[in-house]
Amino acid sequence: MPHDVALIALIAAGFVFAAIFGYLADRLHLPPLVGYLVAGVIIGSSTPGFVADVSLASQLAEIGVILLMFGVGLHFSAADLLAVRGVAIPGAIGQIAIATLLGVGLTSLWGWSVGAGVVFGLSLAVASTVVLLKALEERNLVSSTNGRVAVGWLIVEDLAMVLALVLLPAFAGVLGGHADAGGHAASGSIWLTIGMTLLKVAAFAAVAIFLGPRVVPWLLTSVARTGSRELFTLSVLAIALGIAFGAAEIFGVSFALGAFFAGLVMSESHLSHRAAADSLPLQNAFSVLFFVSVGMLFDPTVLIREPLMIIGVLALIMLGKALIAFGVVLLLRYPASIGFAVAAGLAQIGEFSFILAGLGVSLGLLTREGQDLILAGAILSITLNPLAFYATEKLEKWAFARWPFLANKYGMAKQEGLRRELTAINKQREERDRQHHLEIEQLIETFPMFAELDDNAHEELLLLFRPRSASPGDRVIRTGDRGDSMFFIASGAVEVQLEDDEIPLGAGAFFGEMALLTGARRTADVVAVDFCQLFVLERRDFNLFMSRHPQLRAAVSRMARERQESNVSRQRRDLSQDAS
């Protein structure tokens, strides 16, 4: 195949096979992710037929990793994590440590090095947040206490794996690998290397945390004010990829960490929901290519060559981690129901396992066989995860019937505390959403002309409007000034002072539009006669918004023309009365 179409062939084959096998997986009540991995196996070098370019796939996978981590950061909720911190943080850290040690122990029986065992254990210790959320959604448990603890637990795992991705290259030399993907050994003290790594991460985090919230929301708001959806989406992706690349080039940290902080910074913006919605299609597309590229690296013959190893891997993922999580939850004196939910959710591995395995191979710590075992464990555990949920549900009912105190007494005090905190967070979110919807409702109620606009246009107007207040006697507009803005009266009243007439305007009215429509100078003074709250729409924003919504421009022009005709009629009537 000519080299110049290899990328097109890879993307086309990846999407086509991913769509086919993803659909089949869904029909079999399996996560589509299983289908994407199988699609990668089909177009990989280990199976006959079409073989896609693996080197190109790895680059697309890198973009997929960036967008996956960007999504994790964008949806990260510090409030949710803090609410479940008592169980999620110590539980996840303890479970990762024990599961990693079990992985090291298992691989030592196979004669692997300690470094390979550490990478292998870490890869099996972390579960897929994507798979967990899918399972919780199917059972309507995402908003439940147990579901939010499970999600918080996996967020802590994700954060721990981000740290592992940063530190693993620093430890690679000690663990028997090389310090970077290029194969150069680390020089100097390992502690100096680790210290420098952490210093770079701290420097990047400081820049991202202190500078990001000031720059990124301002940038997004500025772009959103243009009203261009494609420009807004482009800006979101530019921020995600730009911060990730800059983090790697300037601070020497991983793309994954840079992308996570990009999402974290953007989540502080009031436009984060729009950013998430607009970037979601590309996130999904490149995430699919990421899983396809992972499947391309998998050699399915390992299932035949090493069946006992596969059984050991599955046992550690589906039994070992589940038992560890359940035991840790009980040791922390939280209810057994939380333990069962977390145990079922952890009985699989996913995206971070693939990233860690790939890094381990590039650092010379993990063999291709080890990577194949991890991929096999992922495919099988994700496929069997619905069965794990079913089994834990049955086991939970049996345990509660056998030991009623587990259901009625054990950990109830901590569960009530969790519920109170989570309920408070829910109320805060509901109030914030209610206030936002109220702003739009008030906008439509005050200015009926905006009622026919869609929700996106309402959001845009709220961004374009600049609030301004005026006290009685303040001159808002002067005759002869250049018209650079239009005013909408949210509350209060003003008086339009013509040469021989005075026209009162109240809430819901607008003024100053004629100068913007005709380009002429102001023809009247406008003075506040009450305490006023005004919305100001500047000339540039007025022209952009009206060009995108011609029906609104027509309505404003019609109302302005009717007002002008009414003024002329009134003046003529006054003149005729004076003449008589």
Side-chain angles (χ1 to χ4, degrees), residues 165-487:
L165 291 173
V166 172
L167 292 179
L168 197 57
F171 279 100
V174 173
L175 294 174
H178 44 76
D180 56 50
H184 302 292
S187 60
S189 168
I190 179 62
W191 297 112
L192 178 61
T193 304
I194 294 171
M196 289 300 296
T197 300
L198 292 177
L199 185 62
K200 289 178 180 178
V201 172
F204 168 67
V207 171
I209 291 172
F210 291 106
L211 189 61
R214 292 166 174 79
V215 175
V216 172
W218 169 81
L219 181 61
L220 285 180
T221 301
S222 300
V223 174
R225 284 171 58 84
T226 67
S228 172
R229 293 186 66 86
E230 60 270 22
L231 186 57
F232 183 83
T233 303
L234 179 62
S235 299
V236 170
L237 294 174
I239 290 170
L241 295 172
I243 292 179
F245 183 76
E249 287 295 310
I250 299 172
F251 296 96
V253 302
S254 67
F255 286 132
L257 182 63
F260 173 77
F261 269 97
L264 194 63
V265 167
M266 199 173 293
S267 69
E268 297 299 317
S269 169
H270 65 285
L271 293 168
S272 60
H273 291 297
R274 181 175 169 185
D278 284 6
S279 62
L280 187 61
L282 270 176
Q283 285 185 48
N284 289 339
F286 278 98
S287 296
V288 167
L289 290 177
F290 166 69
F291 290 116
V292 169
S293 67
V294 169
M296 290 173 62
L297 300 174
F298 176 57
D299 180 6
T301 61
V302 72
L303 298 172
I304 301 172
R305 289 186 285 106
E306 303 293 351
L308 294 180
M309 284 186 172
I310 296 294
I311 292 173
V313 170
L314 267 183
L316 178 53
I317 295 171
M318 302 198 69
L319 293 177
K321 288 204 305 177
L323 291 173
I324 293 168
F326 184 77
V328 169
V329 169
L330 293 186
L331 284 174
L332 293 171
R333 302 197 65 79
Y334 280 86
S337 60
I338 292 178
F340 282 115
V342 174
L346 289 178
Q348 41 83 15
I349 59 174
E351 54 273 9
F352 265 111
S353 305
F354 308 146
I355 298 170
L356 280 166
L359 180 62
V361 171
S362 70
L363 293 172
L365 293 171
L366 190 67
T367 63
R368 290 289 180 185
E369 182 184 42
Q371 187 179 36
D372 285 339
L373 289 173
I374 292 170
L375 296 178
I379 294 172
L380 293 174
S381 64
I382 292 171
T383 303
L384 296 174
N385 191 243
L387 182 61
F389 268 93
Y390 176 79
T392 53
E393 288 167 2
K394 294 295 183 182
L395 186 60
E396 182 178 1
K397 291 179 181 178
W398 176 83
F400 286 170
R402 181 74 173 79
W403 298 289
F405 77 95
L406 285 177
N408 302 324
K409 295 182 179 180
Y410 192 85
M412 286 297 107
K414 289 196 172 183
Q415 186 171 40
E416 284 304 313
L418 269 178
R419 284 176 179 167
R420 283 195 298 271
E421 288 196 56
L422 292 173
T423 300
I425 291 172
N426 285 339
K427 287 182 178 179
Q428 290 175 0
R429 286 178 178 163
E430 289 171 0
E431 178 62 21
R432 187 167 60 247
D433 291 341
R434 190 186 70 81
Q435 287 292 340
H436 183 65
H437 289 303
L438 186 61
E439 287 179 350
I440 294 178
E441 290 173 3
Q442 288 176 338
L443 178 73
I444 297 172
E445 183 179 346
T446 306
F447 307 109
M449 71 178 75
F450 299 141
E452 295 182 3
L453 299 177
D454 59 23
D455 290 342
N456 288 330
H458 292 148
E459 295 277 0
E460 187 181 340
L461 265 178
L462 290 176
L463 287 171
L464 294 176
F465 279 148
R466 296 183 182 277
R468 177 177 168 182
S469 59
S471 300
D474 287 352
R475 196 171 300 276
V476 182
I477 286 179
R478 292 180 181 275
T479 303
D481 287 351
R482 289 190 177 276
D484 59 357
S485 54
M486 176 183 179
F487 298 82

Side-chain angles (χ1 to χ4, degrees), residues 467-517:
R468 177 177 168 182
S469 59
S471 300
D474 287 352
R475 196 171 300 276
V476 182
I477 286 179
R478 292 180 181 275
T479 303
D481 287 351
R482 289 190 177 276
D484 59 357
S485 54
M486 176 183 179
F487 298 82
F488 295 83
I489 307 173
S491 63
V494 301
E495 191 174 73
V496 181
Q497 298 178 346
L498 302 171
E499 289 184 4
D500 51 4
D501 199 4
E502 294 177 348
I503 304 170
L505 297 176
F510 58 87
F511 59 91
E513 77 288 347
M514 289 305 297
L516 299 187
L517 290 170

Side-chain angles (χ1 to χ4, degrees), residues 74-137:
L74 194 58
H75 294 96
F76 176 76
S77 171
D80 276 354
L81 182 57
L82 289 175
V84 299
R85 62 190 180 279
V87 59
I89 295 177
I93 293 173
Q95 173 257 312
I96 289 172
I98 298 172
T100 301
L101 289 175
L102 287 178
V104 172
L106 182 63
T107 55
S108 67
L109 297 177
W110 299 338
W112 292 13
S113 67
V114 174
V118 169
V119 174
F120 189 79
L122 282 172
S123 298
L124 300 190
V126 59
S128 168
T129 308
V130 175
V131 175
L132 173 69
L133 287 173
K134 175 72 172 176
L136 294 177
E137 285 171 0

